[in-house]
Amino acid sequence: MGPSIWQLLIVLVIILLLFGTKKLKNLGSDVGGALRGFKKAVKEGEQAKDEKIEESKQANVIEGEVTSSETEKDKEKEKV
């Protein structure tokens, strides 16, 4: 079984007495800032991934154009 609500409250009071509310407030702000930074980094990583996918699609289109022009040349050769 886990700790009861009273045991958790006692631990919370002891932590408040040891560290004080000011240090805990600063700790909360630091943790919040770290989480925001992590989310921002993940978002930027996804955007970079999407950009790479778009670049590869554009590269495929260029390759497709070269291939299609080659097939047109082959068709012209067959006509002759």
Side-chain angles (χ1 to χ4, degrees), residues 2-71:
S4 70
I5 188 75
W6 293 110
Q7 292 171 336
L8 292 175
L9 287 174
I10 291 171
V11 170
L12 179 64
V13 169
I14 292 171
I15 290 174
L16 285 173
L17 290 174
L18 288 175
F19 296 107
T21 57
K22 192 171 189 176
K23 286 186 181 179
L24 290 177
K25 180 181 175 186
N26 290 341
L27 178 66
S29 298
D30 292 343
V31 170
L35 287 175
R36 271 184 251 118
F38 178 75
K39 287 180 182 180
K40 182 179 177 183
V42 168
K43 192 176 200 179
E44 289 174 355
E46 289 176 355
Q47 288 175 349
K49 180 181 172 184
D50 292 341
E51 289 173 3
K52 285 183 180 180
I53 290 172
E54 287 299 319
E55 289 175 4
S56 68
K57 285 181 181 179
Q58 290 175 354
N60 288 340
V61 169
I62 292 171
E63 289 174 5
E65 290 174 358
V66 170
T67 306
S68 66
S69 66
E70 288 177 358
T71 56

